[in-house]
Amino acid sequence: MKNSIKVERAKKNITQAELAKLAKVSRQTINAMELGKYVPSTVLSLRLAQIFEVDVSQIFTLEKSDWE
Amino acid sequence: MGWIILIPSAIIGLLTLIYGYEPSYLNFNVPAIFIDEFFSDKNFVGLVDNNVLNEILGVLIILSSLFVAFSKEKTEDEYISKIRLESLVWAVYFNYIILLLSFLFIFDFSFLWVMIFNMFTILLFFIIRFNWQISKLKKGTHYEE
């Protein structure tokens, strides 16, 4: 699964630490998600969407490998 | 908090185990179930004369390692919980691999040592693996704007 957290974060002009605080998770979690190492839960995805004021599907997109 | 109890009780436990230290003032008649001693009748429940030092140390080690293992991180979020669960599964696998190998290659009285240590090793392996993963995580996240 791909995500555009980094892009959205740049649009909002906030750091990983600030986003972590807003989403109530650790900075490591934000970092792991941006690097594609961690797939967040639905709740966290929805929280991020609300913070960025976009749809969840605008942040997260499926890849071919997600169907295998 | 857990570490403060774990480290001394583990050290004392190991020493008393090696030297077979059993101070007589800790000999008590304690309630027991499934009694099957040499030269005496078999009983389901009753009292036995026993040195309670190893019991005390065992309980301290187990409780303090549970504290160390399962107290929450400062920021315990879903990613940390995932690492925690992964480490627990890993520790169970690893422990049983070690146990399997010891079953096959360690015999007789030496195997008693394996059984003694195996009581605590699942938690020990978990603590090592979890803390290692967490420290790797903290080191690996370079600061990005």
Side-chain angles (χ1 to χ4, degrees):
Chain A
M1 195 180 76
K2 275 197 301 188
N3 68 69
S4 59
I5 294 174
K6 205 167 181 175
V7 178
E8 295 294 335
R9 202 158 57 73
K11 275 189 212 160
K12 282 257 169 193
N13 198 18
I14 51 176
T15 63
Q16 286 190 342
E18 285 163 348
L19 178 60
K21 216 172 177 183
L22 287 170
K24 291 186 174 162
V25 292
S26 65
R27 199 171 58 78
Q28 286 81 11
T29 305
I30 302 289
N31 191 273
M33 283 190 295
E34 284 186 4
L35 295 172
K37 274 196 268 175
Y38 177 61
V39 177
S41 70
T42 316
V43 174
L44 180 52
S45 315
L46 286 163
R47 266 195 246 157
L48 290 172
Q50 213 162 73
I51 291 164
F52 292 138
E53 295 164 307
V54 292
D55 254 14
V56 179
S57 55
Q58 279 174 269
I59 309 176
F60 302 98
T61 39
L62 279 175
E63 288 173 300
K64 221 178 176 183
S65 57
D66 292 320
W67 288 101
E68 280 152 16
Chain B
M1 155 60 189
W3 287 109
I4 299 166
I5 310 170
L6 177 59
I7 292 168
S9 57
I11 292 168
I12 297 166
L14 209 60
L15 289 177
T16 53
L17 194 67
I18 292 166
Y19 296 111
Y21 175 64
E22 294 198 328
S24 53
Y25 59 86
L26 283 172
N27 279 324
F28 291 111
N29 279 322
V30 289
I33 45 173
F34 299 120
I35 302 158
D36 185 8
E37 286 183 283
F38 298 117
F39 316 117
S40 74
D41 295 332
K42 290 182 182 178
N43 253 323
F44 187 63
V45 284
L47 290 172
V48 290
D49 190 38
N50 181 48
N51 192 280
V52 293
L53 181 65
N54 52 358
E55 273 78 12
I56 293 170
L57 287 168
V59 167
L60 281 178
I61 291 172
I62 289 174
L63 285 182
S64 55
S65 12
L66 282 173
F67 261 110
V68 171
F70 297 113
S71 42
K72 298 254 182 237
E73 290 286 301
K74 254 183 219 128
T75 46
E76 176 95 11
D77 59 15
E78 49 182 63
Y79 186 43
I80 310 255
S81 320
K82 189 182 159 238
I83 293 172
R84 190 182 287 283
L85 289 176
E86 268 173 9
S87 302
L88 191 57
V89 173
W90 182 91
V92 171
Y93 283 149
F94 189 71
N95 190 53
Y96 275 100
I97 290 166
I98 301 274
L99 185 60
L100 206 68
L101 291 175
S102 340
F103 252 132
L104 293 172
F105 299 113
I106 300 176
F107 305 98
D108 301 329
F109 193 70
S110 318
F111 194 73
L112 183 67
W113 289 93
V114 174
M115 294 202 294
I116 292 169
F117 287 120
N118 207 255
M119 293 191 290
F120 310 106
T121 43
I122 285 195
L123 278 174
L124 186 71
F125 292 148
F126 168 75
I127 291 168
I128 293 167
R129 150 99 194 198
F130 178 67
N131 282 302
W132 172 55
Q133 290 286 319
I134 291 290
S135 72
K136 210 171 74 173
L137 188 70
K138 281 180 179 159
K139 253 185 251 158
T141 45
H142 36 264
Y143 204 84
E144 283 180 79
E145 277 306 302

